[in-house]
Amino acid sequence: MRLSSRLTCPDRSGLPRLVLAFFGFALLSSTVVRAADSQPEAHRIVSVGGTVTEILYDLGAGDRIVAVDSTSFYPPEAAKKPNVGYMRRLSAEGILAQTPDLILTEAGSGPPDALAVLAQSGIRLINIAEPPAAETVGARIRAIGAAIGKTSEADALAGKADDDLAKLKADLAHLPPERKRVMFVLSIANGRIMAAGKETAADAMIRLAGATNALADSTGYKPLSDEAVIAAAPDVILTMDQGAAPVKAEDVFALPALAASPAAKQKAFVSMDSLYLLGFGPRTADAARELASRLYPEAAIR
Amino acid sequence: MIIADHLVLTRQGRPILDKVSLRLVPGRFTVVIGPNGAGKSTLLKLISGDIKPDSGHILYGDEDISRLKPRQLAERRAVLPQSTSLSFPFTALEVVRMGAIAAGSLKPCEDARTALARVGLAALEARAYQALSGGEQQRVQFARVLAQLPTPVNEAGPRALFLDEPTSSLDLTHQISVLEIAREFAAAGGMVMAVLHDLNLAAEFADSLLILKGGRAIAEGPPQTIIRDDIITSVYGLSGTVGRIPQTTPFVLPQSRHPAPASAI
Amino acid sequence: MSIAIDIAQQPARGDRSQQGALALALLSALLVAACLISLTSGPTGVGLRDLVSYLAGSLLSGHQTLSKQDLIVLEAVRLPRTLLGLLVGAGLGLSGAMMQGLFRNPLADPGIVGVTSGASLAAVAAIVLGPTLLLPLQTALGAQFLPLMAFAGALINTGLLYRIATRGGQTSTVALVLSGISIGALTMAATGLLIFLADDRALRDITFWSLGSLGGATYGKALSIAPFILAALALLPFLARGLDALVLGDAAAFHMGIPVERLKRISVLVVAGACGASVAVAGSIAFVGIIVPHLLRLAIGPSHRFLLPGAALGGASLLLLADSIARTVAAPAELPIGIITALIGAPVFLLLLLGRGGRGLID
């Protein structure tokens, strides 16, 4: 692309640099939200996606939300709002019944036909296209802020989020080069250990917290063979703390595959709230920091 | 006329029928008898179109049977099977009605009632078929067959009634009445082919009799001529069973048998 | 021998055409009512009055008095959904009746010929492999990707089963069932493997797909099923007469002039098409194919000339009513419809089974 070749050319004066920066920013934000999409006066917002809801509340717009999806349970007030269904299986008529003036959706919401009907009805639909990840927290916050007319609050929040992440990175640089091997366990139903490999939110979080994923070889959430678990030799077991049957430390370490692991010897077990840990919302840096401090208690990260 | 010529059927190397020929002539009641495994039912299935012979041909009038579509065949012949069981609760009338529909009737229920009355079951029209006795079920099937061929002859020519061991579950009264109705059918110009195992009924009702054994035709002709002691001995291995009542109709009394000399079998 | 209905208690009429015609009239009325209920239920509160006003506007005066949102709800949400529910329900009911006739077994359902397992395998493949292996196909077909895959899967699987069970031009129903079981095991294994490879998003999607839903209904989806329903209705006299005769056995049906192999082929084709399309657009919806024909047979007897249209009408009504419940009971969210049909169907089935002293459904 011509723009990228321009970016590598040395600048000759300040003005072209400004123009470049503008184009760059427009390009970046255009991948996140169409420049014309905003509904600053929206007061009946349907919020789809846990982090979208959380960001709305952080921007002080919580009272402008009339309904949420089933993945929006933070802050607790959000969970009390009317529920329009699972974010990938939204009910068009259910949303219409809320007479919204703006629908904000997280990446991956659907089904497309329901969204098409909603668009047809003339309600503003703004999709936050970037999938949740640490690098996109700031961009997503800004996009949502632009959508609801809270750009300055969004800038502040995004700036703080980015700063927190940068600070975290700096702090973690002081960690010893030998990083802890962490295994994120999703479930141990029927004695099979379902754990997170590469390309999962858990994997990203583990690395963000300055550790390594004990399961370097697998991808996605997989039920593992006992031998694979033994070979992984995790130093710490990480789980989510949410739902009717959370994974408990004594159950995990009772499993023969993990009973002899370094984690079992140290009884190293960390459990954190699911949206907090894996949502990649505004609290991402906090979550990573907390995880790091629990992984490396001696390093006194706080 | 229906002509079956030199029919051969082999299954798993065993010959079921070995060059058997038969003619069904309008006005004639043809009976096929023989011991078990003689190929009688197979012959009936071949001529009625259920299965194809390995060699030989079957002509309905001038047309080869293989050129006739099921619909066309259904207009020329009907088949009464040995037994039929149903897995759904049709009433007797509904079963017979299917035969009337096959005949293209415009008032199938009426025609079905007529057929049921003919076999003496008009009172049972509303009864579930599965609740009937074996004999009553067989008579309902016969009514269905009659409903399919309301007239022995139509514009296309004489029609054929095929009866495969029709008397097995019937008591004596109804054995006789079924065969009498079939005889009326033949007398009115239709063709009848019946596989019977009862030699005496065969002797009484057949105009032409074919005796099969082991897939081969042993004898063919009027019963008066071919129900003879030597033939019965060679086919069934029982001697001295054939007698005659005054009207020259032969009868077979197994009780009067004596062991057959080995050379005669 | 015990029978499901003691017909002898009625005046001695062996011909149940009157009951059959009455049943069809009642079912038609039921369908109209179910359509009205479907068009007037939902979380937005658009009700009967609005519907009447809409119809008056479209058919009489030519202009609408409803608000834009209410118009959207009626035209873009409820009407296509009602139409889709009607066609899917009719297709499932009809297919169930045809399969029970073809296999001469009141417990048969369209799944026997591999429609559901084939469609499921293809749908799961579309969900799991869409973003990876099948990406070019997914991008090319867009929103039609999943339904087309499911439909193709249903046809291919059924075709395969049919091929296996057909020798020398003759299709053995027993062989069809047996090959269905073995191929079914294979498809289940393949589906399981795909589920193993699935990520979080795919697993959620698979779960919801397999529970069935009429959400996201469009006229296009309804149109995809319509040809098979129309074909079945056009062939109704042939199918009804043939399936009736088939109850007496393949040979007896042939004797009565039924082209038996052609009947089997057409039946399997219609079922594969109608069910395949239904599963493709609405996921797998349980029970409608078994329950409706069975109930109908108990009420009016097994004559297919009433059973087939009755099953279509009954299936459509059941599905529309179930969908109306699915849409309103957890509003503004929606329950998957397969749950509702099972919740309605199973107790009715059990009641019938127990209520007649245990003899009830065994014919």
Side-chain angles (χ1 to χ4, degrees), chain B:
Chain B
M1 175 142 72
I2 294 178
I3 301 173
D5 194 34
H6 284 88
L7 299 179
V8 175
L9 192 73
T10 324
R11 285 283 178 268
Q12 286 145 336
R14 272 187 24 207
I16 312 278
L17 280 177
D18 190 8
K19 296 209 203 56
V20 176
S21 301
L22 184 63
R23 277 173 190 238
L24 300 180
V25 176
R28 195 191 286 180
F29 193 130
T30 308
V31 175
V32 178
I33 58 170
N36 287 342
K40 315 187 288 292
S41 280
T42 310
L43 181 63
L44 187 144
K45 289 194 173 106
L46 282 169
I47 302 184
S48 63
D50 277 9
I51 42 184
K52 288 194 180 50
D54 292 338
S55 75
H57 51 260
I58 300 158
L59 292 171
Y60 273 57
D62 322 317
E63 294 180 79
D64 194 296
I65 194 179
S66 53
R67 312 276 287 278
L68 292 171
K69 297 209 187 73
R71 188 124 240 156
Q72 293 167 309
L73 265 179
E75 285 164 7
R76 324 262 282 245
R77 64 95 179 90
V79 180
L80 176 65
Q82 263 184 313
S83 66
T84 313
S85 63
L86 263 52
S87 38
F88 288 130
F90 282 104
T91 59
L93 187 73
E94 285 167 349
V95 172
V96 179
R97 188 180 177 280
M98 291 191 216
I101 297 276
S105 162
L106 295 170
K107 33 184 181 58
C109 282
E110 267 186 54
D111 292 344
R113 288 206 173 94
T114 311
L116 266 179
R118 202 137 172 242
V119 300
L121 287 178
L124 295 182
E125 75 165 52
R127 196 75 71 81
Y129 180 90
Q130 292 151 320
L132 298 174
S133 71
E136 286 165 340
Q137 288 186 352
Q138 187 68 332
R139 286 155 66 201
V140 167
Q141 294 297 331
F142 190 45
R144 170 178 68 79
V145 165
L146 291 176
Q148 186 179 341
L149 299 179
T151 52
V153 185
N154 68 358
E155 315 85 55
R159 300 152 100 178
L161 199 57
F162 289 87
L163 309 172
D164 192 351
E165 308 235 16
T167 53
S168 25
S169 39
L170 297 176
D171 62 27
L172 197 57
T173 325
H174 298 294
Q175 288 180 20
I176 304 290
S177 75
V178 163
L179 291 174
E180 277 182 344
I181 294 175
R183 181 159 60 187
E184 281 166 25
F185 188 88
M191 299 172 272
V192 176
M193 173 182 173
V195 169
L196 296 176
H197 58 267
D198 186 317
L199 291 172
N200 288 313
L201 286 175
E204 186 198 335
F205 284 92
D207 298 319
S208 168
L209 191 58
L210 170 68
I211 306 185
L212 290 181
K213 182 178 177 181
R216 287 215 184 83
I218 304 294
E220 188 177 359
Q224 291 81 345
T225 334
I226 62 169
I227 296 192
R228 297 190 317 253
D229 223 9
D230 56 335
I231 292 185
I232 297 301
T233 307
S234 77
V235 173
Y236 290 97
L238 301 172
S239 256
T241 56
V242 179
R244 242 151 248 281
I245 53 183
Q247 290 90 345
T248 76
T249 306
F251 62 87
V252 179
L253 263 185
Q255 290 89 324
S256 58
R257 69 185 178 281
H258 54 78
S263 54
I265 298 178

Side-chain angles (χ1 to χ4, degrees), chain C residues 251-273:
Chain C
F254 170 70
H255 293 149
M256 289 195 285
I258 308 292
V260 174
E261 294 310 313
R262 191 176 337 147
L263 174 68
K264 290 181 183 171
R265 213 173 24 242
I266 292 181
S267 302
V268 172
L269 208 69
V270 168
V271 168

Side-chain angles (χ1 to χ4, degrees), chain C residues 38-301:
Chain C
S38 173
L39 286 169
T40 56
S41 343
T44 52
V46 172
L48 192 55
R49 222 170 345 164
D50 304 300
L51 178 65
V52 172
S53 154
Y54 169 76
L55 289 171
S58 320
L59 303 170
L60 300 175
S61 63
H63 75 270
Q64 290 293 347
T65 52
L66 291 179
S67 71
K68 178 164 185 233
Q69 167 165 305
D70 285 353
L71 268 177
I72 295 273
V73 167
L74 269 179
E75 284 181 337
V77 177
R78 295 215 190 143
L79 263 173
R81 191 158 177 154
T82 303
L83 188 62
L84 187 67
L86 199 153
L87 289 170
V88 170
L92 292 176
L94 202 63
S95 300
M98 284 171 65
M99 286 290 95
Q100 289 172 11
L102 202 67
F103 288 93
R104 297 176 273 255
N105 189 320
L107 295 176
D109 86 327
I112 287 189
V113 289
V115 179
T116 330
S117 52
S120 294
L121 174 58
V124 171
I127 293 174
V128 174
L129 300 175
T132 56
L133 213 66
L134 299 172
L135 186 59
L137 207 59
Q138 184 177 41
T139 7
L141 296 170
Q144 307 309 318
F145 176 55
L146 180 62
L148 282 173
M149 284 277 287
F151 186 60
L155 288 183
I156 291 174
N157 204 32
T158 307
L160 187 67
L161 276 182
Y162 195 78
R163 260 297 143 82
I164 295 177
T166 306
R167 287 280 160 75
Q170 295 226 334
T171 307
S172 151
T173 44
V174 173
L176 210 51
V177 174
L178 290 176
S179 59
I181 293 176
S182 30
I183 302 279
L186 277 177
T187 45
M188 203 174 70
T191 311
L193 191 64
L194 286 168
I195 290 181
F196 174 78
L197 296 170
D199 64 8
D200 217 37
R201 163 209 68 90
L203 284 174
R204 286 272 202 168
D205 283 353
I206 292 171
T207 308
F208 279 107
W209 184 87
S210 61
L211 290 171
S213 165
L214 290 176
T218 60
Y219 291 112
K221 288 184 182 175
L223 227 62
S224 65
I225 308 182
F228 301 101
I229 310 291
L230 291 174
L233 290 175
L235 292 168
L236 203 69
F238 168 72
L239 291 170
R241 193 185 141 207
L243 291 173
D244 271 353
L246 214 57
V247 175
L248 297 175
D250 279 12
F254 170 70
H255 293 149
M256 289 195 285
I258 308 292
V260 174
E261 294 310 313
R262 191 176 337 147
L263 174 68
K264 290 181 183 171
R265 213 173 24 242
I266 292 181
S267 302
V268 172
L269 208 69
V270 168
V271 168
C275 275
S278 297
V279 175
V281 302
S284 66
I285 300 179
F287 259 108
V288 179
I290 281 206
I291 276 259
V292 173
H294 210 114
L295 283 178
L296 218 54
R297 203 178 289 112
L298 288 176
I300 60 175

